[in-house]
Amino acid sequence: MMKLKHLAYYICCYIIKFFSFVFYPCKGFGLENIPKDSPFIICPNHISMFDVVALNMVYTKPMRYMSKAELFDNKLIGGILSVFGAFPVKRGMGDVGALQNAELMLKNNEPMCIFIEGTRTKNSDASPGKAKSGAVLIASSVCCDIVPVAIVYKHAKPRIFSKSYVYFGKPISSTELQIENNDRNDIRKAANRIMSTITDMWKAGTEQCRK
């Protein structure tokens, strides 16, 4: 029997998709790169709050999201986020509990999305910013793949009736990250490698969709 939370997720997704299809059309590429039978972390760049909607429009399966804890202070917003699989994390405070929670979810084979920048980009052209280490640290601990994702908006940021594009890259295995004993330098290099891949994808997607 389908879990109640998954049923609520699908209902919300289809309602949002109906309106988004008309007002914010979105197209996905590279969905075949998403692992079928193993846990994975989707790592997109972060431009707008609409990013989550764009992802759910092209990848319809339930997914867990790391979201800043402050958003859950509002019960309505927190409830909506929970329906979409979000769970709180205290940014900049080394939230060990949230990391352990994320690892447990992945071990239960629940797909996860972690915006690798940790916050929305501050660049005026919406280009990706600097990478945080959380995603690669979790991937290394659980031994799961990371799927780099580039979200591109035709006009840099989402606008009504303007198209958005989501590009899924080839998965990068935890072995390829080359992290030994949670070494800080290894973690930083791995995070920068993921960020570099996402940035290259974003540049290629931007060039293609803004012609």
Coordinates of all heavy atoms in Angstrom, one line a residue, residues 8-93:
A8 N 0.2 12.1 -0.5 CA 0.2 13.5 -0.3 C 1.2 14.2 -1.3 O 0.9 15.2 -1.9 CB 0.4 14.0 1.1
Y9 N 2.4 13.6 -1.4 CA 3.4 14.1 -2.2 C 3.0 14.2 -3.7 O 3.1 15.2 -4.3 CB 4.7 13.3 -2.1 CG 5.8 13.6 -3.0 CD1 6.7 14.6 -2.7 CD2 5.9 12.9 -4.3 CE1 7.8 14.9 -3.6 CE2 6.9 13.3 -5.2 CZ 7.8 14.2 -4.8 OH 8.8 14.5 -5.7
Y10 N 2.4 13.0 -4.1 CA 2.0 13.0 -5.5 C 0.9 13.9 -5.8 O 0.8 14.6 -6.9 CB 1.6 11.5 -5.9 CG 2.8 10.6 -6.1 CD1 3.0 9.5 -5.3 CD2 3.7 10.9 -7.1 CE1 4.0 8.7 -5.5 CE2 4.8 10.0 -7.4 CZ 4.9 8.9 -6.5 OH 6.0 8.1 -6.8
I11 N -0.1 14.1 -4.9 CA -1.2 15.0 -5.1 C -0.7 16.4 -5.2 O -1.1 17.2 -6.1 CB -2.2 14.9 -3.9 CG1 -2.9 13.5 -3.9 CG2 -3.2 16.0 -4.0 CD1 -3.8 13.3 -2.7
C12 N 0.2 16.8 -4.3 CA 0.8 18.2 -4.3 C 1.6 18.4 -5.6 O 1.5 19.5 -6.2 CB 1.7 18.4 -3.1 SG 0.8 18.6 -1.6
C13 N 2.3 17.4 -6.0 CA 3.1 17.5 -7.2 C 2.3 17.7 -8.4 O 2.6 18.6 -9.3 CB 4.0 16.2 -7.4 SG 5.5 16.3 -6.5
Y14 N 1.2 17.0 -8.6 CA 0.4 17.1 -9.7 C -0.4 18.4 -9.8 O -0.6 19.0 -10.9 CB -0.6 15.9 -9.8 CG 0.1 14.6 -10.3 CD1 0.1 13.5 -9.5 CD2 0.6 14.6 -11.6 CE1 0.8 12.4 -10.0 CE2 1.2 13.5 -12.1 CZ 1.3 12.3 -11.3 OH 2.0 11.2 -11.7
I15 N -0.8 18.9 -8.6 CA -1.4 20.2 -8.6 C -0.4 21.3 -9.0 O -0.8 22.2 -9.9 CB -1.9 20.5 -7.1 CG1 -3.1 19.6 -6.8 CG2 -2.4 22.0 -7.0 CD1 -3.5 19.7 -5.4
I16 N 0.8 21.2 -8.5 CA 1.8 22.2 -8.8 C 2.2 22.1 -10.3 O 2.4 23.1 -11.0 CB 3.0 22.1 -7.9 CG1 2.7 22.5 -6.5 CG2 4.2 22.9 -8.5 CD1 3.8 22.3 -5.5
K17 N 2.3 20.9 -10.8 CA 2.7 20.6 -12.2 C 1.6 21.2 -13.1 O 2.0 21.7 -14.2 CB 2.8 19.1 -12.4 CG 4.2 18.6 -12.0 CD 4.3 17.1 -12.4 CE 5.6 16.6 -12.0 NZ 5.8 15.2 -12.4
F18 N 0.4 21.1 -12.7 CA -0.7 21.6 -13.6 C -0.5 23.1 -13.8 O -0.6 23.6 -15.0 CB -2.1 21.3 -13.0 CG -3.2 22.0 -13.7 CD1 -3.7 21.4 -14.9 CD2 -3.8 23.1 -13.3 CE1 -4.7 22.0 -15.6 CE2 -4.8 23.7 -13.9 CZ -5.3 23.1 -15.1
F19 N -0.3 23.9 -12.7 CA -0.1 25.3 -12.9 C 1.2 25.7 -13.5 O 1.3 26.6 -14.3 CB -0.3 26.0 -11.5 CG -1.7 26.0 -11.0 CD1 -2.1 25.0 -10.1 CD2 -2.7 26.9 -11.5 CE1 -3.4 25.0 -9.6 CE2 -4.0 26.8 -11.0 CZ -4.4 25.9 -10.1
S20 N 2.2 24.9 -13.1 CA 3.6 25.2 -13.6 C 3.7 24.9 -15.1 O 4.4 25.7 -15.8 CB 4.6 24.4 -12.8 OG 4.6 24.7 -11.5
F21 N 3.0 23.9 -15.6 CA 3.1 23.6 -17.0 C 2.6 24.8 -17.8 O 3.1 25.0 -18.9 CB 2.2 22.3 -17.3 CG 2.2 21.9 -18.7 CD1 3.2 21.2 -19.3 CD2 1.1 22.3 -19.5 CE1 3.2 20.9 -20.6 CE2 1.1 21.9 -20.9 CZ 2.1 21.2 -21.4
V22 N 1.6 25.5 -17.3 CA 1.0 26.6 -18.0 C 1.9 27.9 -17.8 O 2.2 28.5 -18.8 CB -0.4 26.9 -17.5 CG1 -1.0 28.2 -18.2 CG2 -1.3 25.7 -17.8
F23 N 2.3 28.1 -16.6 CA 2.9 29.4 -16.3 C 4.4 29.3 -16.2 O 5.1 30.3 -16.5 CB 2.4 30.0 -14.9 CG 0.9 30.2 -14.9 CD1 0.1 29.4 -14.2 CD2 0.4 31.3 -15.6 CE1 -1.3 29.6 -14.2 CE2 -1.0 31.5 -15.6 CZ -1.8 30.7 -14.9
Y24 N 5.0 28.2 -15.9 CA 6.4 28.0 -15.8 C 6.9 26.7 -16.5 O 7.3 25.7 -15.8 CB 6.9 28.0 -14.3 CG 6.7 29.3 -13.6 CD1 5.5 29.5 -12.9 CD2 7.6 30.4 -13.7 CE1 5.3 30.7 -12.2 CE2 7.3 31.6 -13.1 CZ 6.2 31.7 -12.3 OH 6.0 32.9 -11.6
P25 N 6.8 26.6 -17.8 CA 7.1 25.3 -18.4 C 8.6 24.9 -18.2 O 9.5 25.7 -18.1 CB 6.9 25.7 -19.9 CG 7.0 27.1 -20.0 CD 6.5 27.7 -18.7
C26 N 8.8 23.6 -18.0 CA 10.1 23.1 -17.6 C 10.4 21.8 -18.4 O 9.5 21.0 -18.7 CB 10.1 22.8 -16.1 SG 11.7 22.3 -15.5
K27 N 11.6 21.7 -18.8 CA 12.1 20.5 -19.6 C 13.3 19.9 -18.9 O 14.2 20.6 -18.5 CB 12.3 20.9 -21.0 CG 12.6 19.7 -21.9 CD 12.7 20.1 -23.4 CE 12.9 18.9 -24.3 NZ 12.9 19.3 -25.7
G28 N 13.3 18.5 -18.9 CA 14.4 17.8 -18.2 C 15.3 17.1 -19.3 O 14.7 16.6 -20.3
F29 N 16.6 17.0 -19.0 CA 17.5 16.3 -19.9 C 18.4 15.3 -19.0 O 18.7 15.7 -17.9 CB 18.4 17.2 -20.7 CG 17.7 18.2 -21.5 CD1 17.3 19.4 -21.0 CD2 17.4 17.9 -22.9 CE1 16.6 20.3 -21.9 CE2 16.8 18.8 -23.7 CZ 16.3 20.0 -23.2
G30 N 18.7 14.2 -19.6 CA 19.6 13.3 -18.9 C 19.0 12.5 -17.8 O 19.8 12.0 -16.9
L31 N 17.7 12.3 -17.8 CA 17.1 11.5 -16.7 C 17.5 10.1 -16.7 O 17.5 9.4 -15.6 CB 15.5 11.6 -16.9 CG 14.9 12.9 -16.5 CD1 13.5 13.0 -17.1 CD2 14.8 13.1 -15.0
E32 N 18.1 9.6 -17.8 CA 18.6 8.2 -17.8 C 19.8 8.1 -17.0 O 20.3 7.0 -16.7 CB 18.9 7.8 -19.3 CG 20.0 8.6 -19.9 CD 19.7 9.9 -20.5 OE1 18.5 10.4 -20.4 OE2 20.6 10.6 -21.1
N33 N 20.4 9.2 -16.6 CA 21.6 9.1 -15.7 C 21.3 8.9 -14.2 O 22.3 8.6 -13.5 CB 22.4 10.4 -15.8 CG 23.0 10.6 -17.2 OD1 23.5 9.7 -17.8 ND2 23.1 11.9 -17.7
I34 N 20.1 9.0 -13.9 CA 19.7 8.8 -12.5 C 19.7 7.3 -12.1 O 19.1 6.5 -12.8 CB 18.3 9.3 -12.2 CG1 18.3 10.8 -12.5 CG2 17.9 9.1 -10.8 CD1 17.0 11.5 -12.3
P35 N 20.5 6.9 -11.1 CA 20.5 5.4 -10.7 C 19.1 4.9 -10.4 O 18.3 5.5 -9.9 CB 21.4 5.5 -9.4 CG 22.2 6.7 -9.5 CD 21.3 7.7 -10.2
K36 N 19.0 3.6 -10.8 CA 17.7 3.0 -10.7 C 17.5 2.2 -9.4 O 16.5 2.1 -8.8 CB 17.4 2.0 -11.9 CG 17.5 2.7 -13.2 CD 16.3 3.6 -13.4 CE 16.2 4.1 -14.9 NZ 17.4 4.9 -15.3
D37 N 18.6 1.5 -9.0 CA 18.5 0.5 -7.9 C 19.4 0.8 -6.7 O 19.7 -0.1 -5.9 CB 18.7 -0.9 -8.4 CG 17.7 -1.3 -9.5 OD1 16.5 -1.0 -9.3 OD2 18.2 -1.7 -10.6
S38 N 19.9 2.0 -6.6 CA 20.9 2.3 -5.5 C 20.6 3.7 -5.0 O 20.1 4.5 -5.7 CB 22.3 2.1 -6.0 OG 22.6 3.0 -7.1
P39 N 21.0 4.0 -3.8 CA 20.8 5.3 -3.2 C 21.7 6.3 -3.9 O 22.8 6.0 -4.4 CB 21.2 5.1 -1.7 CG 22.1 4.0 -1.7 CD 21.6 3.0 -2.8
F40 N 21.2 7.5 -4.0 CA 22.0 8.6 -4.6 C 21.6 10.0 -4.1 O 20.5 10.1 -3.5 CB 21.8 8.6 -6.1 CG 20.3 8.8 -6.6 CD1 19.8 10.0 -6.8 CD2 19.5 7.7 -6.7 CE1 18.5 10.2 -7.2 CE2 18.2 7.9 -7.1 CZ 17.7 9.1 -7.3
I41 N 22.5 10.9 -4.3 CA 22.2 12.3 -3.9 C 22.2 13.2 -5.2 O 23.2 13.1 -6.0 CB 23.3 12.9 -3.0 CG1 23.3 12.1 -1.6 CG2 23.1 14.3 -2.7 CD1 24.5 12.4 -0.7
I42 N 21.1 13.9 -5.4 CA 21.1 14.8 -6.5 C 21.6 16.2 -6.0 O 21.2 16.7 -5.0 CB 19.6 15.0 -7.0 CG1 19.2 13.8 -7.8 CG2 19.4 16.3 -7.8 CD1 17.8 13.9 -8.3
C43 N 22.6 16.7 -6.7 CA 23.3 17.9 -6.3 C 23.1 19.0 -7.4 O 23.8 19.1 -8.3 CB 24.8 17.7 -6.1 SG 25.2 17.1 -4.5
P44 N 22.1 19.9 -7.2 CA 21.9 20.9 -8.2 C 22.5 22.3 -7.7 O 22.8 22.4 -6.5 CB 20.4 21.1 -8.2 CG 19.8 20.2 -7.1 CD 21.0 19.8 -6.3
N45 N 22.7 23.2 -8.6 CA 22.9 24.6 -8.3 C 21.7 25.2 -7.7 O 20.6 24.6 -7.9 CB 23.4 25.3 -9.5 CG 22.5 25.3 -10.7 OD1 22.0 24.2 -11.0 ND2 22.2 26.4 -11.2
H46 N 21.8 26.3 -7.1 CA 20.6 26.9 -6.4 C 20.4 28.3 -6.8 O 21.2 29.2 -6.5 CB 20.7 26.7 -4.9 CG 19.5 26.9 -4.1 ND1 18.2 26.9 -4.7 CD2 19.2 26.9 -2.8 CE1 17.3 27.0 -3.8 NE2 17.8 27.0 -2.6
I47 N 19.3 28.6 -7.5 CA 19.1 30.0 -8.0 C 17.9 30.6 -7.4 O 17.9 31.8 -7.0 CB 18.8 29.9 -9.6 CG1 20.0 29.4 -10.3 CG2 18.5 31.3 -10.1 CD1 19.8 29.1 -11.8
S48 N 16.8 29.8 -7.2 CA 15.6 30.3 -6.7 C 14.8 29.3 -5.9 O 15.1 28.1 -6.0 CB 14.7 30.8 -7.9 OG 13.4 30.9 -7.6
M49 N 13.8 29.8 -5.1 CA 12.9 28.9 -4.4 C 12.2 28.0 -5.4 O 11.7 26.9 -5.0 CB 11.9 29.6 -3.6 CG 12.5 30.4 -2.4 SD 13.2 29.2 -1.1 CE 11.6 28.6 -0.4
F50 N 12.1 28.4 -6.6 CA 11.4 27.6 -7.7 C 12.2 26.4 -8.1 O 11.6 25.5 -8.8 CB 11.1 28.5 -8.9 CG 10.2 27.9 -9.9 CD1 8.9 27.8 -9.8 CD2 10.8 27.4 -11.1 CE1 8.1 27.2 -10.7 CE2 10.0 26.8 -12.1 CZ 8.7 26.7 -11.9
D51 N 13.4 26.3 -7.7 CA 14.3 25.2 -8.1 C 13.6 23.9 -7.7 O 13.7 22.9 -8.5 CB 15.7 25.3 -7.5 CG 16.4 26.5 -8.0 OD1 16.0 27.1 -9.0 OD2 17.4 26.9 -7.3
V52 N 13.1 23.8 -6.5 CA 12.5 22.6 -6.0 C 11.3 22.2 -6.9 O 11.1 21.0 -7.3 CB 12.0 22.7 -4.6 CG1 11.2 21.5 -4.1 CG2 13.2 23.0 -3.7
V53 N 10.5 23.2 -7.4 CA 9.4 22.9 -8.3 C 9.9 22.4 -9.6 O 9.4 21.4 -10.1 CB 8.5 24.2 -8.5 CG1 7.4 23.9 -9.5 CG2 8.0 24.6 -7.1
A54 N 10.9 23.0 -10.1 CA 11.5 22.6 -11.4 C 12.0 21.2 -11.3 O 11.8 20.4 -12.3 CB 12.6 23.5 -11.8
L55 N 12.7 20.8 -10.3 CA 13.1 19.4 -10.1 C 12.0 18.4 -10.0 O 12.0 17.4 -10.7 CB 14.0 19.3 -8.8 CG 15.4 19.9 -8.9 CD1 16.0 20.0 -7.5 CD2 16.3 19.0 -9.7
N56 N 10.9 18.8 -9.3 CA 9.8 17.9 -9.1 C 9.0 17.8 -10.4 O 8.2 16.8 -10.6 CB 8.9 18.3 -8.0 CG 9.4 17.9 -6.6 OD1 9.2 16.7 -6.2 ND2 10.2 18.7 -5.9
M57 N 9.1 18.7 -11.3 CA 8.4 18.7 -12.5 C 9.0 17.7 -13.5 O 8.3 17.1 -14.3 CB 8.3 20.0 -13.2 CG 7.4 21.0 -12.5 SD 7.4 22.6 -13.3 CE 6.7 22.3 -14.9
V58 N 10.3 17.5 -13.4 CA 11.0 16.5 -14.3 C 11.3 15.2 -13.7 O 11.4 14.2 -14.4 CB 12.2 17.2 -14.9 CG1 11.8 18.4 -15.8 CG2 13.2 17.6 -13.9
Y59 N 11.5 15.2 -12.4 CA 11.8 13.9 -11.7 C 10.6 13.7 -10.7 O 10.6 14.4 -9.6 CB 13.1 14.0 -11.0 CG 13.5 12.7 -10.3 CD1 13.8 11.5 -11.0 CD2 13.4 12.6 -8.9 CE1 14.1 10.3 -10.3 CE2 13.7 11.4 -8.2 CZ 14.0 10.3 -9.0 OH 14.3 9.1 -8.3
T60 N 9.7 12.8 -11.0 CA 8.5 12.7 -10.2 C 8.5 11.8 -9.0 O 7.5 11.8 -8.3 CB 7.3 12.2 -11.2 OG1 7.7 11.0 -11.7 CG2 7.1 13.2 -12.3
K61 N 9.5 11.1 -8.8 CA 9.6 10.2 -7.6 C 9.8 11.0 -6.3 O 10.5 12.0 -6.4 CB 10.6 9.1 -7.8 CG 10.3 8.2 -9.0 CD 11.4 7.1 -9.1 CE 11.1 6.2 -10.2 NZ 12.1 5.1 -10.4
P62 N 9.3 10.5 -5.2 CA 9.5 11.2 -3.9 C 11.0 11.3 -3.6 O 11.8 10.4 -3.9 CB 8.8 10.3 -2.9 CG 7.8 9.6 -3.7 CD 8.4 9.4 -5.0
M63 N 11.4 12.5 -3.1 CA 12.8 12.8 -2.8 C 12.9 13.5 -1.5 O 11.9 14.3 -1.1 CB 13.3 13.6 -4.0 CG 14.8 13.5 -4.1 SD 15.4 14.2 -5.7 CE 14.3 15.4 -6.2
R64 N 13.9 13.3 -0.8 CA 14.2 14.1 0.5 C 15.0 15.3 0.2 O 15.9 15.3 -0.6 CB 14.8 13.2 1.5 CG 14.1 11.9 1.8 CD 12.7 12.1 2.1 NE 12.4 12.8 3.3 CZ 12.2 12.3 4.6 NH1 12.2 11.0 4.7 NH2 12.0 13.1 5.6
Y65 N 14.7 16.4 0.9 CA 15.5 17.7 0.7 C 16.0 18.2 2.0 O 15.3 18.1 3.0 CB 14.5 18.8 0.1 CG 14.1 18.5 -1.3 CD1 12.9 17.8 -1.6 CD2 14.8 19.1 -2.4 CE1 12.5 17.6 -2.9 CE2 14.3 18.9 -3.7 CZ 13.2 18.2 -3.9 OH 12.8 18.0 -5.2
M66 N 17.2 18.6 2.0 CA 17.7 19.4 3.2 C 17.3 20.8 3.0 O 17.5 21.5 2.0 CB 19.3 19.3 3.2 CG 19.8 18.2 4.0 SD 21.6 18.4 4.2 CE 22.0 17.0 5.3
S67 N 16.6 21.4 4.1 CA 16.2 22.8 4.0 C 16.6 23.4 5.3 O 16.6 22.8 6.4 CB 14.7 22.8 3.9 OG 14.2 22.2 2.7
K68 N 16.9 24.7 5.2 CA 17.3 25.5 6.4 C 16.2 25.4 7.5 O 15.0 25.6 7.2 CB 17.7 26.9 6.0 CG 16.6 27.8 5.5 CD 17.2 29.1 5.2 CE 16.1 30.1 4.6 NZ 16.6 31.4 4.3
A69 N 16.7 25.3 8.7 CA 15.8 25.0 9.8 C 14.8 26.2 10.0 O 13.7 26.0 10.5 CB 16.6 24.8 11.1
E70 N 15.2 27.4 9.7 CA 14.4 28.6 9.9 C 13.0 28.5 9.2 O 12.0 29.1 9.6 CB 15.1 29.9 9.5 CG 16.3 30.2 10.3 CD 17.6 29.5 9.8 OE1 17.5 28.6 9.0 OE2 18.7 29.9 10.2
L71 N 13.0 27.8 8.0 CA 11.8 27.7 7.2 C 10.7 26.9 8.0 O 9.5 27.1 7.8 CB 12.1 27.0 5.9 CG 12.9 27.8 4.9 CD1 13.3 27.0 3.7 CD2 12.2 29.1 4.5
F72 N 11.1 26.1 8.9 CA 10.2 25.2 9.6 C 9.6 25.9 10.8 O 8.7 25.4 11.5 CB 10.9 23.9 10.1 CG 11.2 23.0 8.9 CD1 12.3 23.1 8.2 CD2 10.3 22.0 8.6 CE1 12.6 22.3 7.1 CE2 10.6 21.1 7.6 CZ 11.7 21.3 6.8
D73 N 10.1 27.2 11.1 CA 9.5 28.0 12.2 C 8.0 28.3 11.9 O 7.2 28.5 12.8 CB 10.3 29.2 12.5 CG 11.7 28.9 13.0 OD1 11.9 27.8 13.6 OD2 12.6 29.7 12.9
N74 N 7.7 28.5 10.6 CA 6.4 28.8 10.2 C 5.7 27.4 10.0 O 6.1 26.6 9.1 CB 6.4 29.6 8.9 CG 5.0 29.9 8.4 OD1 4.2 29.1 8.2 ND2 4.7 31.2 8.3
K75 N 4.6 27.1 10.7 CA 4.0 25.8 10.7 C 3.4 25.5 9.3 O 3.5 24.3 8.9 CB 2.9 25.7 11.7 CG 3.5 25.7 13.2 CD 2.4 25.5 14.2 CE 2.9 25.4 15.6 NZ 1.9 25.2 16.6
L76 N 2.9 26.5 8.6 CA 2.3 26.2 7.3 C 3.4 25.9 6.3 O 3.3 24.9 5.6 CB 1.5 27.5 6.8 CG 0.9 27.4 5.4 CD1 0.0 26.2 5.3 CD2 0.3 28.7 5.0
I77 N 4.4 26.7 6.3 CA 5.5 26.5 5.3 C 6.2 25.2 5.7 O 6.5 24.3 4.8 CB 6.5 27.6 5.3 CG1 5.8 28.9 4.8 CG2 7.8 27.3 4.5 CD1 6.7 30.1 4.8
G78 N 6.4 25.0 7.0 CA 7.1 23.7 7.4 C 6.3 22.5 7.1 O 6.9 21.5 6.7
G79 N 5.0 22.6 7.2 CA 4.1 21.5 6.8 C 4.2 21.1 5.3 O 4.2 20.0 4.9
I80 N 4.2 22.2 4.5 CA 4.3 22.0 3.0 C 5.6 21.4 2.7 O 5.7 20.5 1.9 CB 4.1 23.4 2.3 CG1 2.6 23.9 2.5 CG2 4.4 23.2 0.8 CD1 2.4 25.3 2.0
L81 N 6.7 21.9 3.3 CA 8.0 21.4 3.0 C 8.1 19.9 3.4 O 8.7 19.1 2.7 CB 9.0 22.2 3.8 CG 9.3 23.6 3.3 CD1 10.2 24.3 4.3 CD2 9.9 23.6 1.9
S82 N 7.5 19.5 4.5 CA 7.5 18.2 5.0 C 6.8 17.2 4.0 O 7.2 16.1 3.8 CB 6.8 18.0 6.4 OG 7.6 18.8 7.3
V83 N 5.7 17.7 3.4 CA 5.0 16.9 2.4 C 5.9 16.6 1.2 O 5.9 15.5 0.7 CB 3.7 17.6 1.9 CG1 3.2 17.0 0.7 CG2 2.7 17.7 3.0
F84 N 6.8 17.6 0.9 CA 7.7 17.4 -0.2 C 9.0 16.7 0.2 O 9.9 16.6 -0.6 CB 8.0 18.7 -0.9 CG 7.0 19.2 -1.8 CD1 6.0 20.1 -1.4 CD2 7.0 18.8 -3.1 CE1 5.0 20.5 -2.3 CE2 6.0 19.2 -4.0 CZ 5.0 20.1 -3.6
G85 N 9.0 16.2 1.4 CA 10.1 15.4 1.8 C 11.3 16.1 2.4 O 12.4 15.6 2.6
A86 N 11.1 17.4 2.7 CA 12.1 18.2 3.3 C 12.3 17.9 4.8 O 11.4 17.6 5.5 CB 11.9 19.7 3.1
F87 N 13.5 18.1 5.3 CA 13.8 18.0 6.7 C 14.8 19.1 7.1 O 15.6 19.5 6.3 CB 14.3 16.6 7.1 CG 15.7 16.3 6.4 CD1 16.9 16.4 7.1 CD2 15.7 15.7 5.1 CE1 18.1 16.1 6.5 CE2 16.9 15.4 4.5 CZ 18.1 15.6 5.2
P88 N 14.7 19.6 8.3 CA 15.5 20.8 8.7 C 17.0 20.5 8.9 O 17.4 19.4 9.4 CB 14.8 21.3 10.0 CG 14.2 20.0 10.6 CD 13.8 19.2 9.4
V89 N 17.8 21.5 8.6 CA 19.2 21.4 8.9 C 19.7 22.8 9.4 O 19.3 23.8 8.8 CB 20.1 20.9 7.8 CG1 19.9 21.8 6.5 CG2 21.6 20.9 8.1
K90 N 20.4 22.9 10.5 CA 20.9 24.2 11.0 C 22.2 24.5 10.2 O 23.2 23.8 10.5 CB 21.1 24.1 12.5 CG 19.9 23.8 13.3 CD 20.1 23.7 14.7 CE 18.8 23.4 15.5 NZ 19.1 23.1 16.9
R91 N 22.1 25.5 9.4 CA 23.3 25.8 8.5 C 24.4 26.5 9.4 O 24.1 27.3 10.3 CB 22.9 26.8 7.4 CG 21.9 26.1 6.4 CD 21.6 27.0 5.2 NE 21.1 28.3 5.6 CZ 20.9 29.3 4.8 NH1 21.1 29.1 3.5 NH2 20.4 30.4 5.2
G92 N 25.7 26.2 9.0 CA 26.8 26.8 9.7 C 27.0 26.4 11.1 O 27.8 27.0 11.8
M93 N 26.3 25.3 11.6 CA 26.4 25.0 13.0 C 26.9 23.5 13.1 O 26.9 23.0 14.2 CB 25.1 25.2 13.7 CG 24.6 26.6 13.7 SD 23.0 26.8 14.5 CE 23.4 26.3 16.2

